[in-house]
Amino acid sequence: MNPLELVRAQPGPGFTVTLDGRDIEALPGQTVAAALWTAGVTSWRSTRGAGRPRGVFCGIGVCFDCLVTVNDRPNQRACLVPVRPGDTIRTQEGTGHDD
Amino acid sequence: MTDRPHLAVIGAGPAGLAASLAAAARGIRVTLIDSGSAAGGQFYRGPAPGLGARRPQALHHQWHTWDRLARGLAGHVRAGRIEHLTDHHVWCVERQSGRFAVHALLGPEQERPATVHAEAVLLATGGYEKVLPFPGWTLPGVVTAGGAQAMLKGSLVVPGRTAVVAGTGPLLLPVATGLAAAGVDVAALVESADPNAFWRATRDPNPLPPRTRDPKAFLRRTRALAAQPGKVAEGAQYAAQLVRHRVKVMARHTLVEAHGEARLEAVTIAALDSDGRARPGTERRIACDTLAVGHGMLPHTDLAESLGCRIDGLNVHVDEEQRTDVPGVWAAGETTGIGGSALSLAEGHIAGRSVAARLAGAEPDPREWAAVAKSRTRMREFFAALDTVYAPPAHWTEQVTDDTVVCRCEEVTGGEIRRAVGELGAGDVRTVKLLTRAGMGWCQGRMCEPAVAGLAGCAQTSARRLLARPVPLGVLAAAGEDPDEPRGPDDPEGD
């Protein structure tokens, strides 16, 4: 059983986005974080101080741990932002403003 | 229609929905403002429409109640009595000469502003999860229990294959059973409290547990538990599901450490002794790629604080009608104290009826909602009793090593906080913050505040955040120049 089967989901057509240039499949309605989790990715940011990996923590927009660069805009909360066809997602280093 | 009195409800979870429906049904024009793209809040969160769930109730809570609320909302929206603004992230509510301006940011980008004006405001802003730190809690793969649930319910995703659900509190039960139903191997449910004390108390009102020092308090608690047969049944259902999914439940155990380099690989747990300390020699390592962890809930009170509402402890203070002490501002649901969806519905309903009467210039008659008020009292007692059962281990701070990151945003460690307290004399959260930057990062201390307070040996107090979320400077600068809101010379806050 997976979650899609559990609720008998019939998602709209899937689409492709990129994470650091690599193709990732996403489903309509999912957040950026959900698409990354589905692709087996659980970290997409390194911290400003120790450069440690981070991903989703609170899942509801409170903690800001899941910050990511989407279409060249850094510091987007991956757990809130809906994924859209053609999105260019990049892992975020530090504040996201250095590159 | 526009001359009808106007209420702005902030938050479309159980409390906000109940209040909106109650007020709209009594002639009030309601604007329901919510950050979600659909109504429901966290509790009634459902799969995104694009995912085409044909059986959403499989992951949903209280489906029939939700269905009734959703139909009610749709009916009022169609009739023009409720305007439902989705994707509106409220960052401040401003008092303006007896009226209110609710300032929000639009959409996921949260850069474009929108303002709603109303004669009354209802704060139904809900709560968020409390997580206490331990070594490794910043590793990817470690998520809050509620976060795992939100991702599962909303986007139908799970973070890995093998999970441990740990911490304390009733939320761990639906999270463990939900993950298991969605195909995750839940290796253990690790609860630091002893929920058996809870069940024993509901069955047998007489015997005192060995460590209870106040028999009267115990009896009060027992009565509160026994008065909620629905809650007992709910707990029994979760217990049956845990058995069915072969989830091992380990009560009186605590997290010691999460292991891994780039990602979570295992956790170490240990049994607690009768003083609430990890008992040496009982450590056990469990391989897992997911840890869903939570230690209870905290109310969102930022908007109430910026309005100047009285806060009792961590909760917005309300009277019998759910009014705050600021005229024109009501509050209902978790923001007035954590108590679950049924209590939120009761509070929201009472608030909506009170608003309807007061905005029509009438004194409400509490006898009209006596039954709801009675159930509100019972449920508040029940959750007060629950709080005494589910508490983090008494000595949880001993699991926070000097190397453990406590403030996740600013990467402030336990050692730095202990130095601020021990060597520099900090005795409260604010002083620790000024000395270490703990709580000065993106989340503004929402994640680390309980831990910093615990390490500083003081009680957590309300945070007094002026703005409820980050706001672009341009929006902030323009907020005082709202063209829709001509300010008169009699407006004391007009400049």
mmCIF file of all heavy atoms in Angstrom, chain B residues 123-168:
data_model
loop_
_atom_site.group_PDB
_atom_site.id
_atom_site.type_symbol
_atom_site.label_atom_id
_atom_site.label_comp_id
_atom_site.label_asym_id
_atom_site.label_seq_id
_atom_site.Cartn_x
_atom_site.Cartn_y
_atom_site.Cartn_z
ATOM 1 N N LEU B 123 -10.007 35.446 16.075
ATOM 2 C CA LEU B 123 -8.720 34.783 15.890
ATOM 3 C C LEU B 123 -8.919 33.282 16.084
ATOM 4 O O LEU B 123 -9.255 32.831 17.175
ATOM 5 C CB LEU B 123 -7.703 35.317 16.904
ATOM 6 C CG LEU B 123 -7.517 36.838 16.914
ATOM 7 C CD1 LEU B 123 -6.652 37.260 18.101
ATOM 8 C CD2 LEU B 123 -6.891 37.308 15.600
ATOM 9 N N ALA B 124 -8.742 32.536 15.014
ATOM 10 C CA ALA B 124 -8.852 31.076 15.082
ATOM 11 C C ALA B 124 -7.587 30.506 14.428
ATOM 12 O O ALA B 124 -7.644 29.764 13.455
ATOM 13 C CB ALA B 124 -10.113 30.592 14.381
ATOM 14 N N THR B 125 -6.459 30.913 14.970
ATOM 15 C CA THR B 125 -5.174 30.696 14.291
ATOM 16 C C THR B 125 -4.523 29.364 14.638
ATOM 17 O O THR B 125 -3.446 29.063 14.128
ATOM 18 C CB THR B 125 -4.209 31.854 14.611
ATOM 19 O OG1 THR B 125 -4.257 32.114 16.020
ATOM 20 C CG2 THR B 125 -4.618 33.112 13.885
ATOM 21 N N GLY B 126 -5.159 28.584 15.518
ATOM 22 C CA GLY B 126 -4.672 27.223 15.726
ATOM 23 C C GLY B 126 -3.380 27.130 16.507
ATOM 24 O O GLY B 126 -3.041 28.012 17.303
ATOM 25 N N GLY B 127 -2.674 26.035 16.269
ATOM 26 C CA GLY B 127 -1.433 25.800 16.998
ATOM 27 C C GLY B 127 -0.390 25.145 16.119
ATOM 28 O O GLY B 127 -0.624 24.914 14.931
ATOM 29 N N TYR B 128 0.743 24.888 16.700
ATOM 30 C CA TYR B 128 1.814 24.186 15.988
ATOM 31 C C TYR B 128 2.530 23.288 16.976
ATOM 32 O O TYR B 128 2.312 23.368 18.186
ATOM 33 C CB TYR B 128 2.763 25.173 15.308
ATOM 34 C CG TYR B 128 3.483 26.117 16.237
ATOM 35 C CD1 TYR B 128 4.812 25.900 16.594
ATOM 36 C CD2 TYR B 128 2.843 27.231 16.765
ATOM 37 C CE1 TYR B 128 5.479 26.774 17.446
ATOM 38 C CE2 TYR B 128 3.490 28.097 17.614
ATOM 39 C CZ TYR B 128 4.814 27.870 17.954
ATOM 40 O OH TYR B 128 5.459 28.727 18.806
ATOM 41 N N GLU B 129 3.394 22.438 16.437
ATOM 42 C CA GLU B 129 3.942 21.403 17.286
ATOM 43 C C GLU B 129 5.169 21.843 18.058
ATOM 44 O O GLU B 129 6.005 22.585 17.556
ATOM 45 C CB GLU B 129 4.313 20.194 16.423
ATOM 46 C CG GLU B 129 4.127 18.913 17.162
ATOM 47 C CD GLU B 129 4.190 17.762 16.206
ATOM 48 O OE1 GLU B 129 4.380 17.974 14.998
ATOM 49 O OE2 GLU B 129 4.063 16.628 16.687
ATOM 50 N N LYS B 130 5.247 21.348 19.272
ATOM 51 C CA LYS B 130 6.430 21.575 20.109
ATOM 52 C C LYS B 130 7.346 20.368 19.960
ATOM 53 O O LYS B 130 6.890 19.231 20.065
ATOM 54 C CB LYS B 130 5.973 21.731 21.559
ATOM 55 C CG LYS B 130 7.099 21.820 22.560
ATOM 56 C CD LYS B 130 6.573 22.273 23.899
ATOM 57 C CE LYS B 130 6.376 21.107 24.842
ATOM 58 N NZ LYS B 130 5.979 21.534 26.192
ATOM 59 N N VAL B 131 8.618 20.618 19.709
ATOM 60 C CA VAL B 131 9.590 19.525 19.663
ATOM 61 C C VAL B 131 10.785 19.920 20.524
ATOM 62 O O VAL B 131 11.347 20.996 20.355
ATOM 63 C CB VAL B 131 10.079 19.230 18.225
ATOM 64 C CG1 VAL B 131 10.987 18.006 18.229
ATOM 65 C CG2 VAL B 131 8.910 19.013 17.292
ATOM 66 N N LEU B 132 11.142 19.053 21.451
ATOM 67 C CA LEU B 132 12.306 19.311 22.299
ATOM 68 C C LEU B 132 13.538 18.684 21.657
ATOM 69 O O LEU B 132 13.444 17.622 21.040
ATOM 70 C CB LEU B 132 12.062 18.723 23.699
ATOM 71 C CG LEU B 132 10.853 19.342 24.415
ATOM 72 C CD1 LEU B 132 10.524 18.582 25.691
ATOM 73 C CD2 LEU B 132 11.102 20.818 24.721
ATOM 74 N N PRO B 133 14.685 19.349 21.773
ATOM 75 C CA PRO B 133 15.869 18.885 21.043
ATOM 76 C C PRO B 133 16.566 17.686 21.686
ATOM 77 O O PRO B 133 16.411 17.431 22.883
ATOM 78 C CB PRO B 133 16.795 20.109 21.085
ATOM 79 C CG PRO B 133 16.388 20.869 22.290
ATOM 80 C CD PRO B 133 14.929 20.598 22.513
ATOM 81 N N PHE B 134 17.303 16.964 20.864
ATOM 82 C CA PHE B 134 18.150 15.855 21.306
ATOM 83 C C PHE B 134 19.214 15.725 20.219
ATOM 84 O O PHE B 134 19.032 16.243 19.099
ATOM 85 C CB PHE B 134 17.320 14.567 21.455
ATOM 86 C CG PHE B 134 16.478 14.262 20.259
ATOM 87 C CD1 PHE B 134 16.969 13.497 19.209
ATOM 88 C CD2 PHE B 134 15.192 14.793 20.132
ATOM 89 C CE1 PHE B 134 16.200 13.256 18.087
ATOM 90 C CE2 PHE B 134 14.427 14.549 19.003
ATOM 91 C CZ PHE B 134 14.945 13.781 17.977
ATOM 92 N N PRO B 135 20.338 15.071 20.492
ATOM 93 C CA PRO B 135 21.397 14.998 19.479
ATOM 94 C C PRO B 135 20.872 14.363 18.192
ATOM 95 O O PRO B 135 20.231 13.317 18.242
ATOM 96 C CB PRO B 135 22.455 14.101 20.140
ATOM 97 C CG PRO B 135 22.212 14.246 21.606
ATOM 98 C CD PRO B 135 20.732 14.435 21.762
ATOM 99 N N GLY B 136 21.109 15.014 17.070
ATOM 100 C CA GLY B 136 20.713 14.471 15.773
ATOM 101 C C GLY B 136 19.350 14.919 15.291
ATOM 102 O O GLY B 136 18.917 14.530 14.201
ATOM 103 N N TRP B 137 18.659 15.762 16.058
ATOM 104 C CA TRP B 137 17.283 16.115 15.653
ATOM 105 C C TRP B 137 17.232 17.029 14.436
ATOM 106 O O TRP B 137 16.158 17.264 13.898
ATOM 107 C CB TRP B 137 16.504 16.720 16.825
ATOM 108 C CG TRP B 137 16.818 18.153 17.170
ATOM 109 C CD1 TRP B 137 18.043 18.690 17.373
ATOM 110 C CD2 TRP B 137 15.870 19.219 17.358
ATOM 111 N NE1 TRP B 137 17.925 20.025 17.697
ATOM 112 C CE2 TRP B 137 16.606 20.372 17.700
ATOM 113 C CE3 TRP B 137 14.480 19.309 17.295
ATOM 114 C CZ2 TRP B 137 15.994 21.610 17.956
ATOM 115 C CZ3 TRP B 137 13.878 20.543 17.554
ATOM 116 C CH2 TRP B 137 14.623 21.673 17.878
ATOM 117 N N THR B 138 18.395 17.542 13.987
ATOM 118 C CA THR B 138 18.381 18.378 12.781
ATOM 119 C C THR B 138 18.642 17.568 11.513
ATOM 120 O O THR B 138 18.645 18.123 10.418
ATOM 121 C CB THR B 138 19.455 19.485 12.870
ATOM 122 O OG1 THR B 138 20.728 18.873 13.126
ATOM 123 C CG2 THR B 138 19.147 20.469 13.980
ATOM 124 N N LEU B 139 18.877 16.242 11.646
ATOM 125 C CA LEU B 139 19.167 15.429 10.460
ATOM 126 C C LEU B 139 17.950 15.352 9.534
ATOM 127 O O LEU B 139 16.820 15.173 10.005
ATOM 128 C CB LEU B 139 19.516 13.999 10.891
ATOM 129 C CG LEU B 139 20.943 13.730 11.362
ATOM 130 C CD1 LEU B 139 21.017 12.331 11.965
ATOM 131 C CD2 LEU B 139 21.928 13.863 10.203
ATOM 132 N N PRO B 140 18.180 15.438 8.214
ATOM 133 C CA PRO B 140 17.078 15.161 7.289
ATOM 134 C C PRO B 140 16.532 13.758 7.535
ATOM 135 O O PRO B 140 17.306 12.824 7.750
ATOM 136 C CB PRO B 140 17.750 15.260 5.915
ATOM 137 C CG PRO B 140 18.911 16.176 6.135
ATOM 138 C CD PRO B 140 19.404 15.878 7.523
ATOM 139 N N GLY B 141 15.235 13.636 7.516
ATOM 140 C CA GLY B 141 14.588 12.374 7.881
ATOM 141 C C GLY B 141 13.942 12.473 9.248
ATOM 142 O O GLY B 141 13.068 11.677 9.572
ATOM 143 N N VAL B 142 14.374 13.451 10.039
ATOM 144 C CA VAL B 142 13.702 13.738 11.306
ATOM 145 C C VAL B 142 12.676 14.838 11.021
ATOM 146 O O VAL B 142 13.044 15.925 10.556
ATOM 147 C CB VAL B 142 14.681 14.218 12.400
ATOM 148 C CG1 VAL B 142 13.926 14.494 13.696
ATOM 149 C CG2 VAL B 142 15.784 13.194 12.619
ATOM 150 N N VAL B 143 11.421 14.530 11.238
ATOM 151 C CA VAL B 143 10.351 15.504 10.987
ATOM 152 C C VAL B 143 9.450 15.567 12.210
ATOM 153 O O VAL B 143 9.452 14.650 13.036
ATOM 154 C CB VAL B 143 9.503 15.126 9.750
ATOM 155 C CG1 VAL B 143 10.336 15.191 8.486
ATOM 156 C CG2 VAL B 143 8.892 13.744 9.902
ATOM 157 N N THR B 144 8.679 16.632 12.311
ATOM 158 C CA THR B 144 7.711 16.663 13.401
ATOM 159 C C THR B 144 6.610 15.653 13.086
ATOM 160 O O THR B 144 6.339 15.345 11.919
ATOM 161 C CB THR B 144 7.075 18.056 13.569
ATOM 162 O OG1 THR B 144 6.253 18.320 12.447
ATOM 163 C CG2 THR B 144 8.129 19.141 13.711
ATOM 164 N N ALA B 145 5.983 15.135 14.127
ATOM 165 C CA ALA B 145 4.913 14.165 13.925
ATOM 166 C C ALA B 145 3.795 14.793 13.090
ATOM 167 O O ALA B 145 3.288 14.197 12.135
ATOM 168 C CB ALA B 145 4.376 13.681 15.277
ATOM 169 N N GLY B 146 3.448 16.024 13.430
ATOM 170 C CA GLY B 146 2.405 16.719 12.677
ATOM 171 C C GLY B 146 2.839 17.022 11.254
ATOM 172 O O GLY B 146 2.018 17.028 10.332
ATOM 173 N N GLY B 147 4.131 17.269 11.067
ATOM 174 C CA GLY B 147 4.657 17.537 9.726
ATOM 175 C C GLY B 147 4.531 16.310 8.842
ATOM 176 O O GLY B 147 4.133 16.401 7.673
ATOM 177 N N ALA B 148 4.894 15.149 9.399
ATOM 178 C CA ALA B 148 4.758 13.908 8.642
ATOM 179 C C ALA B 148 3.299 13.714 8.244
ATOM 180 O O ALA B 148 2.984 13.326 7.121
ATOM 181 C CB ALA B 148 5.246 12.730 9.482
ATOM 182 N N GLN B 149 2.399 14.029 9.180
ATOM 183 C CA GLN B 149 0.970 13.867 8.925
ATOM 184 C C GLN B 149 0.481 14.862 7.867
ATOM 185 O O GLN B 149 -0.301 14.511 6.982
ATOM 186 C CB GLN B 149 0.198 14.057 10.225
ATOM 187 C CG GLN B 149 -1.215 13.574 10.158
ATOM 188 C CD GLN B 149 -1.972 13.871 11.436
ATOM 189 O OE1 GLN B 149 -1.887 14.955 11.986
ATOM 190 N NE2 GLN B 149 -2.714 12.889 11.910
ATOM 191 N N ALA B 150 0.956 16.102 7.951
ATOM 192 C CA ALA B 150 0.530 17.126 6.989
ATOM 193 C C ALA B 150 0.975 16.752 5.575
ATOM 194 O O ALA B 150 0.202 16.879 4.619
ATOM 195 C CB ALA B 150 1.104 18.487 7.381
ATOM 196 N N MET B 151 2.201 16.273 5.435
ATOM 197 C CA MET B 151 2.706 15.879 4.112
ATOM 198 C C MET B 151 1.927 14.681 3.582
ATOM 199 O O MET B 151 1.644 14.587 2.394
ATOM 200 C CB MET B 151 4.199 15.538 4.221
ATOM 201 C CG MET B 151 5.091 16.711 4.595
ATOM 202 S SD MET B 151 5.432 17.848 3.237
ATOM 203 C CE MET B 151 6.595 16.883 2.272
ATOM 204 N N LEU B 152 1.596 13.781 4.486
ATOM 205 C CA LEU B 152 0.843 12.588 4.080
ATOM 206 C C LEU B 152 -0.582 12.966 3.663
ATOM 207 O O LEU B 152 -1.053 12.589 2.588
ATOM 208 C CB LEU B 152 0.822 11.579 5.237
ATOM 209 C CG LEU B 152 -0.025 10.318 5.050
ATOM 210 C CD1 LEU B 152 0.427 9.528 3.830
ATOM 211 C CD2 LEU B 152 0.052 9.432 6.300
ATOM 212 N N LYS B 153 -1.261 13.744 4.510
ATOM 213 C CA LYS B 153 -2.661 14.056 4.237
ATOM 214 C C LYS B 153 -2.817 14.980 3.030
ATOM 215 O O LYS B 153 -3.741 14.841 2.249
ATOM 216 C CB LYS B 153 -3.313 14.724 5.460
ATOM 217 C CG LYS B 153 -3.504 13.772 6.635
ATOM 218 C CD LYS B 153 -4.496 14.304 7.666
ATOM 219 C CE LYS B 153 -4.031 15.539 8.377
ATOM 220 N NZ LYS B 153 -4.901 15.881 9.547
ATOM 221 N N GLY B 154 -1.899 15.945 2.890
ATOM 222 C CA GLY B 154 -2.060 16.961 1.850
ATOM 223 C C GLY B 154 -1.484 16.559 0.505
ATOM 224 O O GLY B 154 -2.077 16.811 -0.539
ATOM 225 N N SER B 155 -0.295 15.937 0.540
ATOM 226 C CA SER B 155 0.397 15.635 -0.719
ATOM 227 C C SER B 155 0.533 14.145 -0.978
ATOM 228 O O SER B 155 1.099 13.738 -1.986
ATOM 229 C CB SER B 155 1.795 16.274 -0.721
ATOM 230 O OG SER B 155 1.739 17.633 -1.052
ATOM 231 N N LEU B 156 0.052 13.304 -0.048
ATOM 232 C CA LEU B 156 0.083 11.845 -0.187
ATOM 233 C C LEU B 156 1.506 11.319 -0.353
ATOM 234 O O LEU B 156 1.782 10.481 -1.216
ATOM 235 C CB LEU B 156 -0.802 11.399 -1.363
ATOM 236 C CG LEU B 156 -2.258 11.857 -1.291
ATOM 237 C CD1 LEU B 156 -3.020 11.410 -2.542
ATOM 238 C CD2 LEU B 156 -2.947 11.298 -0.049
ATOM 239 N N VAL B 157 2.406 11.842 0.455
ATOM 240 C CA VAL B 157 3.794 11.367 0.412
ATOM 241 C C VAL B 157 4.258 10.973 1.808
ATOM 242 O O VAL B 157 3.770 11.486 2.818
ATOM 243 C CB VAL B 157 4.767 12.432 -0.147
ATOM 244 C CG1 VAL B 157 4.532 12.636 -1.628
ATOM 245 C CG2 VAL B 157 4.640 13.739 0.615
ATOM 246 N N VAL B 158 5.200 10.047 1.835
ATOM 247 C CA VAL B 158 5.847 9.650 3.085
ATOM 248 C C VAL B 158 7.348 9.845 2.901
ATOM 249 O O VAL B 158 7.856 9.765 1.787
ATOM 250 C CB VAL B 158 5.522 8.188 3.455
ATOM 251 C CG1 VAL B 158 4.066 8.058 3.862
ATOM 252 C CG2 VAL B 158 5.834 7.249 2.308
ATOM 253 N N PRO B 159 8.070 10.108 3.997
ATOM 254 C CA PRO B 159 9.481 10.467 3.850
ATOM 255 C C PRO B 159 10.418 9.277 3.716
ATOM 256 O O PRO B 159 11.581 9.446 3.365
ATOM 257 C CB PRO B 159 9.779 11.233 5.140
ATOM 258 C CG PRO B 159 8.778 10.729 6.119
ATOM 259 C CD PRO B 159 7.572 10.297 5.358
ATOM 260 N N GLY B 160 9.966 8.067 4.000
ATOM 261 C CA GLY B 160 10.881 6.931 3.923
ATOM 262 C C GLY B 160 10.135 5.633 4.051
ATOM 263 O O GLY B 160 8.920 5.573 3.849
ATOM 264 N N ARG B 161 10.890 4.567 4.377
ATOM 265 C CA ARG B 161 10.274 3.236 4.433
ATOM 266 C C ARG B 161 10.059 2.745 5.849
ATOM 267 O O ARG B 161 9.111 2.025 6.122
ATOM 268 C CB ARG B 161 11.176 2.230 3.708
ATOM 269 C CG ARG B 161 11.178 2.483 2.224
ATOM 270 C CD ARG B 161 11.968 1.430 1.513
ATOM 271 N NE ARG B 161 11.964 1.701 0.087
ATOM 272 C CZ ARG B 161 12.764 1.120 -0.772
ATOM 273 N NH1 ARG B 161 13.636 0.221 -0.364
ATOM 274 N NH2 ARG B 161 12.697 1.421 -2.047
ATOM 275 N N THR B 162 10.988 3.098 6.742
ATOM 276 C CA THR B 162 10.900 2.610 8.115
ATOM 277 C C THR B 162 10.920 3.796 9.061
ATOM 278 O O THR B 162 11.852 4.602 9.012
ATOM 279 C CB THR B 162 12.094 1.678 8.441
ATOM 280 O OG1 THR B 162 12.160 0.662 7.444
ATOM 281 C CG2 THR B 162 11.920 1.047 9.803
ATOM 282 N N ALA B 163 9.904 3.897 9.879
ATOM 283 C CA ALA B 163 9.783 5.071 10.744
ATOM 284 C C ALA B 163 9.733 4.684 12.216
ATOM 285 O O ALA B 163 9.259 3.597 12.569
ATOM 286 C CB ALA B 163 8.519 5.857 10.388
ATOM 287 N N VAL B 164 10.232 5.584 13.038
ATOM 288 C CA VAL B 164 9.969 5.541 14.474
ATOM 289 C C VAL B 164 9.160 6.796 14.782
ATOM 290 O O VAL B 164 9.464 7.877 14.266
ATOM 291 C CB VAL B 164 11.277 5.520 15.288
ATOM 292 C CG1 VAL B 164 11.013 5.775 16.765
ATOM 293 C CG2 VAL B 164 11.994 4.182 15.094
ATOM 294 N N VAL B 165 8.085 6.632 15.539
ATOM 295 C CA VAL B 165 7.268 7.775 15.969
ATOM 296 C C VAL B 165 7.535 7.938 17.458
ATOM 297 O O VAL B 165 7.400 6.963 18.217
ATOM 298 C CB VAL B 165 5.774 7.528 15.684
ATOM 299 C CG1 VAL B 165 4.932 8.692 16.174
ATOM 300 C CG2 VAL B 165 5.554 7.297 14.187
ATOM 301 N N ALA B 166 7.943 9.132 17.881
ATOM 302 C CA ALA B 166 8.415 9.253 19.266
ATOM 303 C C ALA B 166 8.120 10.614 19.855
ATOM 304 O O ALA B 166 7.857 11.577 19.137
ATOM 305 C CB ALA B 166 9.924 8.986 19.314
ATOM 306 N N GLY B 167 8.181 10.663 21.170
ATOM 307 C CA GLY B 167 7.948 11.907 21.895
ATOM 308 C C GLY B 167 6.896 11.672 22.956
ATOM 309 O O GLY B 167 6.929 10.674 23.677
ATOM 310 N N THR B 168 5.913 12.578 22.984
ATOM 311 C CA THR B 168 4.806 12.378 23.917
ATOM 312 C C THR B 168 3.559 13.080 23.403
ATOM 313 O O THR B 168 3.656 14.080 22.685
ATOM 314 C CB THR B 168 5.161 12.881 25.331
ATOM 315 O OG1 THR B 168 4.126 12.490 26.230
ATOM 316 C CG2 THR B 168 5.289 14.396 25.371
#
